[in-house]
């Protein structure tokens, strides 16, 4: 792995897994402990520039989830939603004693990682949550309306069956080229960031993506046949099935007795998480990319951003607080695309 100067990596053995953890230690008296959680098809490497830019009184950690980065490859039980990941995260926080005796840490999650930290907050105490480009509180696809109503009993069109097999194969072979639109580098350029964004660290980001372990127990997972269009439904194993709405629903954060303040950060041109995402099979059907789409009455795209806003509004109405920051022209990775502005928003939130 490519570790930036000022960052250290260590292996932490917990009762649940052997985890790789990056750290940017505080150089002044520690005021806060911030733990960063990456998203799908990535790793802790993506957080390094932000960790290095944090104030000197913040102790910063970034944890590789199971099956990503330098952490142990273990099967993912999708029927637990994202709890395998959030329980792993808690085991590392507990093993390292982060946040003092109360394990009171500030959590920053990106995409799927934002879902992990929301699940974490349902099960364990957290001081604050920062959600960057979060998966909807009702999962990824397979729902309608802002209340997350499920479309079918088995979540047709959701989960591992929607993964592009050529992209998966290129992850397996470690493809670093840019010639195919399904290469990890091309997917990074077209989906992780807004069009035209250039990073001097692009090779590191591709390296991070290529740490993703593939197969039915990891990425993308298994799939089952179903009668409704498009003919597949969520399986019970692997990463993509963890966000099927039958397994994942963190809208219960509204009812938390102690509600950590939430910062919601997202980009206006996010290609992955949106109200009309082309990573949603039903949106591909609506656009004619996948034939046989039965129409919006049966298989509408999921309004993921609207669902997040509705849940966070309810969270605020129930006594919590949240602040939304929308970066115009940014994609799925505002912390890379608008680092100074992202850091400013995070610093205000932590203060």
């Amino acid at each position: 792995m490519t570790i930036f100067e000022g960052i250290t990596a260590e292996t932490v053995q917990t009762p649940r897994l052997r985890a790789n953890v990056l750290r940017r230690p505080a150089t002044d008296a520690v005021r806060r402990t911030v733990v960063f959680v990456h998203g799908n098809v990535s790793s802790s490497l993506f957080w390094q520039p932000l960790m290095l830019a944090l104030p000197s009184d913040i102790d910063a950690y970034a944890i590789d989830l199971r099956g990503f980065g330098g952490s142990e490859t273990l099967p993912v039980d999708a029927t637990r939603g994202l709890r395998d990941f959030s329980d792993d995260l808690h085991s590392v926080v507990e093993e390292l004693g982060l946040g003092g005796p109360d394990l009171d840490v500030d959590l920053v999650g990106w995409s799927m990682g934002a879902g992990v930290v929301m699940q974490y907050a349902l099960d364990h105490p957290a001081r604050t949550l920062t959600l960057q480009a979060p998966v909807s509180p009702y999962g990824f696809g397979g729902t309608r309306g802002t209340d997350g109503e499920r479309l079918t009993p088995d979540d047709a069109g959701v989960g591992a069956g929607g993964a592009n097999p050529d992209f998966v194969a290129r992850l397996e072979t470690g493809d670093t080229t840019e010639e195919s639109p399904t290469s990890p580098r091309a997917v990074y350029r077209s989906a992780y960031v807004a069009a035209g964004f250039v990073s001097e660290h692009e090779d590191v980001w591709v390296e991070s993506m290529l740490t993703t372990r593939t197969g039915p127990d990891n990425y993308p997972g298994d799939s089952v046949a179903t009668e409704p269009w498009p003919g597949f439904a969520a399986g019970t194993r692997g990463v993509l099935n963890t966000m099927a709405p039958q397994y994942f629903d963190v809208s219960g954060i509204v009812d938390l007795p102690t509600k950590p303040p939430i910062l919601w950060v997202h980009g206006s041109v996010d290609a992955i998480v949106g109200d009309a995402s082309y990573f949603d099979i039903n949106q591909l059907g609506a656009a004619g990319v996948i034939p046989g789409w039965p129409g919006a009455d049966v298989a509408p795209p999921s309004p993921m951003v609207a669902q997040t806003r509705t849940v966070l509004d309810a969270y605020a109405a129930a006594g919590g607080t949240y602040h939304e920051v929308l970066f115009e022209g940014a994609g799925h990775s505002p912390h890379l695309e608008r680092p100074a502005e992202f850091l400013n928003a995070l610093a205000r939130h932590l203060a």
Side-chain angles (χ1 to χ4, degrees):
M1 297 190 300
T2 302
I3 306 299
F4 293 1
E5 184 177 353
I7 303 283
T8 60
E10 64 177 305
T11 298
V12 177
Q13 182 66 59
T14 82
R16 290 186 56 83
L17 84 164
R18 185 179 66 255
N20 181 67
V21 180
L22 301 187
R23 184 185 184 195
R24 197 297 313 260
T27 54
D28 292 326
V30 177
R31 176 174 60 91
R32 307 295 277 261
T33 300
V34 181
V35 180
F36 295 89
V37 184
H38 65 81
N40 192 15
V41 192
S42 64
S43 75
S44 60
L45 294 179
F46 270 94
W47 290 119
Q48 293 182 99
L50 181 60
M51 293 169 71
L52 290 169
L54 288 170
S56 60
D57 59 356
I58 289 179
D59 221 6
Y61 294 80
I63 297 171
D64 284 334
L65 301 174
R66 63 171 61 191
F68 297 95
S71 285
E72 187 175 4
T73 302
L74 293 172
V76 176
D77 180 356
T79 66
R80 303 188 71 232
L82 289 170
R83 272 196 172 96
D84 270 357
F85 296 128
S86 64
D87 286 351
D88 290 348
L89 172 61
H90 182 257
S91 74
V92 174
V93 169
E94 194 170 43
E95 183 68 26
L96 293 176
L98 304 184
D102 297 326
L103 305 180
D104 198 10
V105 296
D106 299 279
L107 297 174
V108 181
W110 173 31
S111 194
M112 182 184 78
V116 172
V117 304
M118 283 190 278
Q119 184 63 64
Y120 185 106
L122 284 172
D123 299 329
H124 311 287
R127 180 179 284 179
T128 68
L129 306 181
T130 297
L131 312 176
Q132 176 180 235
V135 60
S136 163
Y138 300 109
F140 198 98
T143 59
R144 74 169 80 240
T146 57
D147 62 352
E149 177 191 355
R150 288 172 59 200
L151 298 177
T152 66
D154 59 358
D155 295 337
V158 173
N164 185 299
D166 191 59
F167 175 63
V168 176
R170 290 174 183 273
L171 287 175
E172 290 176 347
T173 59
D175 180 12
T176 62
T177 69
E178 58 185 53
E179 293 152 5
S180 169
T182 56
S183 73
R185 189 178 299 273
V187 170
Y188 160 79
R189 291 176 178 174
S190 64
Y192 284 42
V193 295
F197 174 76
V198 176
S199 169
E200 62 178 311
H201 302 302
E202 182 176 291
D203 287 346
V204 179
W205 311 149
V206 174
E207 178 183 347
S208 174
M209 296 171 70
L210 292 174
T211 68
T212 303
R213 264 74 100 201
T214 58
D217 283 319
N218 296 104
Y219 181 84
D222 66 342
S223 184
V224 298
T226 188
E227 183 176 342
W229 183 90
F232 70 85
T236 61
R237 303 152 59 197
V239 175
L240 291 186
N241 296 317
T242 63
M243 292 171 282
Q246 64 183 299
Y247 306 135
F248 178 75
D249 182 346
V250 291
S251 61
I253 62 171
V254 169
D255 301 317
L256 282 173
T258 301
K259 296 178 172 64
I262 293 176
L263 172 64
W264 173 27
V265 179
H266 57 126
S268 66
V269 293
D270 190 334
I272 297 177
V273 174
D275 290 341
S277 167
Y278 276 86
F279 284 73
D280 183 339
I281 293 297
N282 290 345
Q283 178 62 33
L284 293 175
V289 177
I290 299 177
W293 183 58
D297 290 341
V298 177
S302 295
M304 291 181 264
V305 172
Q307 289 172 350
T308 295
R309 181 171 287 109
T310 298
V311 168
L312 292 182
D313 283 346
Y315 186 83
T321 61
Y322 88 91
H323 180 62
E324 177 183 358
V325 178
L326 176 66
F327 289 102
E328 290 292 342
H332 193 59
S333 312
H335 75 292
L336 299 181
E337 300 168 77
R338 305 285 182 81
E341 295 167 78
F342 185 96
L343 179 63
N344 185 47
L346 179 60
R348 290 200 311 268
H349 178 55
L350 296 177

